[in-house]
Amino acid sequence: MGRLAEMQRKLLEQMMGPEAMGVANANLVWSDDKVCRNFLCGTCPHALFTNTKMDLGACPKSHTERLKTEFLAAKEANPNDPIFSRFQMEYESNIFAFVDECDRRIRAAHRRLEKTPEENAKTTNLMREIAEIELAIQGGTEKIETLGEQGKVDESMREMAAIEALKSEKSEKERELQQLTDTSGASGHQKLRVCDVCGAYLSVLDSDRRLADHFGGKMHLGYHELRNMLGKFKEEREKRKMPPPSSAPPSGATGGAGKPGGDRGGDHRPSRDDRERERGYDRHASRYE
């Protein structure tokens, strides 16, 4: 019960603010180390995966809306202040590291299944497409019922024809998936596939509803959001011509308002490590496009 009570307290603190809970100094400022910089700059991974297999628990740092509002106001008033660049770099590094760890798990899962990433990707895509078609069929069926109740016969017939086309497409996808499954052998182990977005194991024997639940699940959508963030970071970095983030926070990034000598100025020459990180950065950002 102690752990449950602590988690509940943390959730209440995030929603109401630590000042309202009486556990923090009301004079806490956004540049304080106790404030979550992921939360200030965008999204904290701790908030994305609650009640999933990847639940990180409550974030140990403050998520106070007042401080985020003050941070955004300060950034808008003085966008060239170096502290905002440092905060953004730390935020991007944290997201990059989180997705990079997921990709390591995906590669390890592929090795365990002894299948190539290309084969797994093709199977996963087919399973996702089948699930999406099934959802479209269900939605179309409900629409037909509504149109029938409204007496719109012509529209109902057109919608029925569209559903038949979807069913035909679904059958074709299922045959393709079955052929791909048959060539992988009879082993139950080989019936498993790895989701290339979140790293979860999927079975080719799963029902359409189960697959739809996975692709619409909190963990899958959370990693999808993180990968989309990396794509946006890359676009913004290309505009600013900045180096890619490292998988560890930059030196001095956790020191609040920063320290002298933290910036080298605008003349940045990418090192070999920078170039290697850029290649990995492209891979993470493009995985789910």
Side-chain angles (χ1 to χ4, degrees):
M1 288 296 294
R3 177 173 172 78
L4 178 60
E6 176 65 15
M7 291 178 64
Q8 291 173 339
R9 186 190 67 78
K10 281 285 188 181
L11 289 173
L12 285 173
E13 182 179 327
Q14 289 181 12
M15 290 187 293
M16 301 175 62
E19 294 91 341
M21 298 293 292
V23 296
N25 188 341
N27 294 324
L28 190 69
V29 295
W30 57 263
S31 59
D32 197 294
D33 286 344
K34 296 180 180 179
V35 180
C36 177
R37 294 178 182 175
N38 294 330
F39 170 74
L40 291 179
C41 295
T43 301
C44 177
H46 286 264
L48 286 177
F49 300 100
T50 53
N51 299 321
T52 70
K53 293 179 181 179
M54 290 303 299
D55 194 334
L56 301 174
C59 181
K61 297 192 176 184
S62 176
H63 286 202
T64 306
E65 288 296 336
R66 172 183 65 82
L67 297 177
K68 187 169 187 175
T69 301
E70 293 175 358
F71 168 79
L72 295 175
K75 184 177 181 180
E76 184 177 356
N78 189 13
N80 295 323
D81 190 327
I83 189 174
F84 299 117
S85 296
R86 287 195 291 272
F87 274 37
Q88 182 67 23
M89 283 296 292
E90 181 179 346
Y91 172 51
E92 294 183 16
S93 294
N94 291 337
I95 300 300
F96 181 90
F98 200 81
V99 175
D100 192 54
E101 176 59 29
C102 178
D103 284 344
R104 280 195 288 269
R105 292 198 307 271
I106 291 173
R107 291 193 293 271
H110 282 315
R111 288 193 294 271
R112 284 194 293 270
L113 294 180
E114 297 180 348
K115 301 295 288 182
T116 66
E118 291 76 13
E119 290 172 322
N120 280 283
K122 185 176 181 180
T123 302
T124 300
N125 287 336
L126 281 172
M127 294 164 72
R128 184 179 68 249
E129 290 170 3
I130 291 171
E132 290 173 350
I133 293 172
E134 175 63 23
L135 290 176
I137 292 173
Q138 292 178 7
T141 302
E142 294 174 0
K143 186 175 180 181
I144 288 175
E145 294 176 357
T146 302
L147 291 172
E149 293 173 356
Q150 296 174 352
K152 299 179 179 179
V153 179
D154 292 340
E155 293 183 25
S156 177
M157 294 297 292
R158 285 196 295 270
E159 189 65 29
M160 189 175 298
I163 289 180
E164 289 301 320
L166 286 173
K167 289 181 178 179
S168 176
E169 183 181 358
K170 179 187 172 187
S171 297
E172 183 179 345
K173 296 286 185 183
E174 288 174 336
R175 284 195 297 271
E176 186 177 353
L177 179 60
Q178 185 62 48
Q179 291 174 357
L180 192 61
T181 303
D182 291 342
T183 59
S184 66
S187 170
H189 184 70
Q190 291 177 322
K191 301 294 183 182
L192 294 176
R193 296 294 181 268
V194 182
C195 177
D196 283 339
V197 174
C198 65
Y201 282 107
L202 303 173
S203 172
V204 297
L205 304 178
D206 284 339
S207 65
D208 296 337
R209 171 52 58 183
R210 186 177 180 87
L211 292 175
D213 289 343
H214 167 76
F215 290 112
K218 193 170 186 179
M219 188 173 81
H220 183 90
L221 293 178
Y223 276 108
H224 184 197
E225 181 176 344
L226 293 181
R227 294 183 187 279
N228 283 342
M229 286 183 194
L230 292 183
K232 293 177 182 177
F233 294 160
K234 181 176 181 293
E235 292 176 1
E236 293 172 359
R237 176 163 287 101
E238 289 176 347
K239 293 178 182 178
R240 300 193 305 263
K241 300 299 182 181
M242 291 176 63
S246 63
S247 59
S251 176
T254 58
K259 299 178 182 179
D263 292 331
R264 294 184 178 180
D267 184 16
H268 175 85
R269 296 185 178 181
S271 65
R272 179 179 178 181
D273 290 341
D274 288 337
R275 292 192 294 271
E276 290 177 352
R277 284 197 298 270
E278 182 68 36
R279 287 194 290 270
Y281 199 74
D282 292 342
R283 182 183 69 251
H284 297 314
S286 62
R287 178 179 290 273
Y288 198 67
E289 290 179 353

